[in-house]
Amino acid sequence: MRRVPADAWVALVLLVACGFFLNDLLATEGTGAYVKTTTLPTALVVVLALLALILLGGSLLRPAARPADALAGAELRTGLIRVGTMIAWTTAFIFALPWFGYLASSAVFLVGANVLYGNRRPVSVIAIAVIVPVALLLFFEKFMIVLLPSSRLFG
Amino acid sequence: MDVLLAGFDQVANVTALAMIVVGLTIGIVIGAIPGLNVPLAVAIALPITFNLNPIAGLGMLVGIYKGGTYGGSLSAILINVPGTPAAAATALDGAELTRQGKSGKALKMSLYASIIGEFISDLALIAFAIPMALFALRIGPPEIFSLGIFALTLVGVLSQGNMIKGLIAGAMGLFLSTFGVDPLTGDFRLTFGVRKMAGGWAFIALVIGVFAVAEVLSVLERRLGQRPLAGTVRLSDPDHSLTRNDWRRCLPVIARSSLIGVFIGAVPGLGAAVSAYLNYGITRNLSREPERFGKGALEGVAAAESGNNAVTGATFVPLLTLGIPGDVITAIMLGAFIVHGLIPGPVLFEQQGDFIAAFFIMMVLATFLHLVIARAGMAAFIQTTRVPNSVLFPIVITLSVTGVFVSTNSFFDIYVMLGFGVLGYLMKKFGFPVAPLLIGFILGPLVEVGLRQSMIMSRGGLDIFVTRPISAVFLFLAVATIAVVAWREFRSKKTGP
């Protein structure tokens, strides 16, 4: 059995998303003269769905060649794990910002992010984790007069 | 002549010159840092200018504007992360040139194209301020709508061999711009009961997400130690020098893009990003070798950079003559004018001739100083490429988070940025261009308001878009663009790679 091309999966996800948004838009009562609040977004969802159908048809009829530099196998799996870890780490960083403040959260985040990117030199990692948050804090709070998040836990 | 001399007196003082230099330096640095943007820097610098004389204060803001619009190209070329939305088109070929070991060439062309674009824009401001503003007045809602549609169809041209994916990305950008409060009726739509969605997606979160965060994730997916772009660059090396042939190819592009940029700048609401994409698309479409674009065509850098910087002078045309800001940056600057008791409009030309002359001289002077500072500092900027990915990209993501927080003061928008980062990463992974998403998002409000106001004007009739000549021309160009690109794709698929 032939494998479903990646573009076909993307088109299917798009069609499902279009269905979801269309459902919400049809349930919203639009107001306005001649063109209502929901007219343009609804038209755009329909256009997107049509384009997704064209993409689906095209990808099934004439599958695109796999890019020469595309990752595959174990390399791809490791890459995706790194990306997933980075997304989770960044989410944790954003979550920690209001609780631990800008300096502490950024420093810890930078240590982890450096390690994820393969920086194995402890002096470099610690220097970046200290210098970057302090420099940014000073730049924004002292020079630009914009406050960065302070810690709810430590005041 | 007396007015000119009086104007020259206002500019030729240490404070004014120093403020222009400070503004340019801050602008280039802010523009080059992904996550920080020019409107943010202008807004934050605004209170500083209140204590200065009008020309010195405005000189600083103009410096940030000009420097920042150019500065975005540095990171776009060197690390493939556009510092500003307007530089995203520059990254398409600029980063590719860096990968080929020709970053110096791209950086030099980016600077010279920017300066020529700026200079032409300054001259246009001086020579055609009033006539151009009168023409811009004729651009009504139908023309805005048609111009938006034309710009969006050009997005398809930008989609590198797959028009459908480019159009999907553009339509997605337009769709994303419709979330939140309806700009005309104030009704909520697509908010899903989330209060923080009332204002729609934050522009800065989307820009930083799909460009900076997506790039960080894409680089991470590949090899950790691998540098996607070149490291050491010697500007004096032959590979980094601009040849006579480079100039022969690029000068006509710069001239055309600058003139188009001047026109776009004079039309309120369009701005540098639209100009950059439009000029890139036009240049690629008109090229005899369109297949070179996206693979390191120097003309692509020249078109995008002259196009976006050519906006910087022209945006002051509607501002000075009509009091209508040409873009978000001049909108912020309007505050500086008013604080200094200068109310833009025809009366300003009648009653404050000295100031107008000084402003024009200051614009030209800022362009000259821009060339000097950016060229002298170029070698220093290039050194940033020596920073390893493992050091640079964690800093980029920290800057991105910081930049969004500083702009919006909202943790929700940082999550939104991360979400758009994942979306941008997936789009790249599956071969969808991200630039059309951004251009669709920028044009969304213009297109929607243009459409709805036009329908009110015509009492529901669609003929208004074809009976008005300027609108009809834009729509014809849009249809022609789709036809040409579809035909090219059809032929290339038929003949094979």
Side-chain angles (χ1 to χ4, degrees):
Chain A
M1 206 172 98
R2 207 174 77 177
R3 229 177 125 172
V4 180
D7 280 354
W9 286 114
V10 173
L12 286 172
V13 170
L14 256 173
L15 283 169
V16 171
C18 287
F20 172 76
F21 287 122
L22 195 61
N23 184 47
D24 184 80
L25 285 164
L26 292 176
T28 307
E29 201 179 325
T31 56
Y34 307 112
V35 179
K36 291 185 176 172
T37 309
T38 52
T39 307
L40 186 69
T42 308
L44 286 168
V45 168
V46 172
V47 168
L48 268 170
L50 289 173
L51 289 169
L53 280 173
I54 295 172
L55 183 69
L56 180 67
S59 63
L60 291 175
L61 290 173
R62 198 194 291 253
R66 193 181 163 80
D69 60 344
L71 297 178
E75 207 179 15
L76 176 66
R77 264 196 303 280
T78 321
L80 290 178
I81 289 169
R82 278 199 296 266
V83 170
T85 312
M86 187 62 171
I87 293 167
W89 187 238
T90 310
T91 308
F93 170 40
I94 303 166
F95 182 77
L97 274 171
W99 298 100
F100 298 96
Y102 183 78
L103 270 183
S105 308
S106 304
V108 174
F109 170 76
L110 277 165
V111 170
N114 267 272
V115 171
L116 259 174
Y117 267 92
N119 189 350
R120 299 285 183 265
R121 290 167 296 171
V123 177
S124 159
V125 172
I126 291 167
I128 292 164
V130 173
I131 293 168
V132 172
V134 170
L136 286 175
L137 190 85
L138 287 174
F139 177 72
F140 282 108
E141 295 210 339
K142 302 294 173 194
F143 182 68
M144 298 280 229
I145 326 290
V146 181
L147 291 179
L148 293 174
S150 55
S151 167
R152 278 183 206 166
L153 288 178
F154 309 117
Chain B
M1 185 54 95
D2 289 346
V3 171
L4 254 180
L5 284 174
F8 193 78
D9 276 351
Q10 288 189 43
V11 182
N13 65 73
V14 178
T15 315
L17 289 174
M19 284 301 116
I20 296 171
V21 170
V22 168
L24 282 164
T25 311
I26 292 176
I28 295 172
V29 171
I30 295 283
I33 297 174
L36 301 181
N37 58 17
V38 187
L40 166 78
V42 172
I44 291 169
L46 194 60
I48 302 168
T49 65
F50 295 165
N51 297 324
L52 300 167
N53 70 57
I55 282 298
L58 287 166
M60 183 180 179
L61 299 181
V62 165
I64 295 174
Y65 186 17
K66 289 186 178 229
T69 307
Y70 156 73
S73 69
L74 294 171
S75 52
I77 291 168
L78 294 172
I79 57 172
N80 197 20
V81 180
T84 58
T90 310
L92 296 173
D93 282 289
E96 198 52 48
L97 281 162
T98 299
R99 283 193 188 95
Q100 294 166 14
K102 296 174 186 169
S103 59
K105 210 183 254 271
L107 286 166
K108 283 177 186 168
M109 182 48 74
S110 154
L111 173 63
Y112 298 136
S114 297
I115 296 297
I116 295 171
E118 267 178 34
F119 187 63
I120 291 176
S121 195
D122 295 340
L123 292 183
L125 168 66
I126 295 164
F128 304 113
I130 296 169
M132 279 183 74
L134 287 173
F135 179 74
L137 264 181
R138 290 166 61 189
I139 300 281
E143 287 79 17
I144 296 269
F145 171 78
S146 303
L147 181 59
I149 294 297
F150 172 49
L152 267 176
T153 53
L154 277 175
V155 163
V157 177
L158 288 171
S159 56
Q160 311 238 343
N162 194 329
M163 192 174 74
I164 294 299
K165 286 185 178 178
L167 290 174
I168 286 176
M172 216 191 279
L174 257 183
F175 178 62
L176 286 169
S177 76
T178 63
F179 282 60
V181 175
D182 175 357
L184 290 183
T185 63
D187 288 345
F188 287 92
R189 58 188 178 186
L190 295 163
T191 57
F192 306 101
V194 179
R195 198 168 47 88
K196 286 176 178 167
M197 280 296 301
W201 304 111
F203 175 69
I204 191 79
L206 182 135
V207 171
I208 294 178
V210 296
F211 286 106
V213 178
E215 179 74 10
V216 165
L217 297 177
S218 298
V219 170
L220 187 63
E221 186 196 321
R222 302 196 157 260
R223 285 171 198 88
L224 290 171
Q226 187 188 13
R227 288 192 54 73
L229 307 175
T232 310
V233 178
R234 282 174 195 273
L235 282 173
S236 54
D237 284 355
D239 272 356
H240 296 297
S241 301
L242 293 170
T243 62
R244 187 173 291 190
N245 191 39
D246 292 333
W247 280 112
R248 194 178 52 76
R249 279 170 174 268
C250 292
L251 268 178
V253 170
I254 293 171
R256 183 183 58 232
S257 302
S258 299
L259 292 174
I260 295 171
V262 165
F263 174 74
I264 287 176
V267 179
L270 294 180
V274 174
S275 177
Y277 289 116
L278 195 66
N279 278 303
Y280 184 87
I282 289 172
T283 303
R284 186 183 165 184
N285 237 11
L286 292 178
S287 172
R288 286 177 190 165
E289 303 161 289
E291 67 281 356
R292 284 176 53 243
F293 283 73
K295 295 170 185 165
L298 202 57
E299 300 96 297
V301 174
E305 278 306 303
S306 51
N308 69 29
N309 277 73
V311 165
T312 57
T315 46
F316 287 99
V317 173
L319 181 77
L320 288 177
T321 57
L322 301 165
I324 299 169
D327 62 5
V328 66
I329 301 163
T330 43
I332 300 168
M333 282 192 207
L334 185 59
F337 277 87
I338 291 167
V339 164
H340 288 291
L342 302 159
I343 309 299
V347 180
L348 189 67
F349 283 76
E350 286 173 12
Q351 296 180 356
Q352 302 270 356
D354 296 3
F355 167 77
I356 292 292
F359 189 83
F360 288 163
I361 294 167
M362 181 267 289
M363 290 290 288
V364 177
L365 187 64
T367 300
F368 173 73
L369 289 171
H370 184 184
L371 173 66
V372 174
I373 291 167
R375 186 65 187 87
M378 190 177 280
F381 287 121
I382 287 171
Q383 296 309 312
T384 58
T385 57
R386 300 177 87 172
V387 183
N389 283 350
S390 58
V391 170
L392 188 64
F393 282 91
I395 296 175
V396 167
I397 208 159
T398 310
L399 272 173
S400 302
V401 168
T402 313
V404 171
F405 184 81
V406 165
S407 301
T408 64
N409 202 25
S410 156
F411 292 106
F412 175 76
D413 286 330
I414 311 179
Y415 286 111
V416 168
M417 174 205 75
L418 185 60
F420 279 122
V422 175
L423 177 70
Y425 160 73
L426 291 173
M427 285 176 74
K428 276 184 172 189
K429 194 166 174 60
F430 293 107
F432 285 77
V434 288
L437 180 91
L438 178 67
I439 198 76
F441 191 78
I442 292 170
L443 287 174
L446 282 174
V447 168
E448 180 165 23
V449 172
L451 170 70
R452 293 170 70 177
Q453 287 180 340
S454 304
M455 297 305 276
I456 292 168
M457 284 165 68
S458 66
R459 295 173 190 272
L462 285 167
D463 58 330
I464 191 167
F465 297 111
V466 287
T467 51
R468 292 174 60 129
I470 300 171
S471 168
V473 167
F474 285 136
L475 284 182
F476 170 77
L477 289 172
V479 173
T481 304
I482 288 183
V484 167
V485 176
W487 175 245
R488 270 188 187 171
E489 281 199 14
F490 176 73
R491 273 187 58 188
S492 69
K493 276 183 183 165
K494 211 174 171 186
T495 53

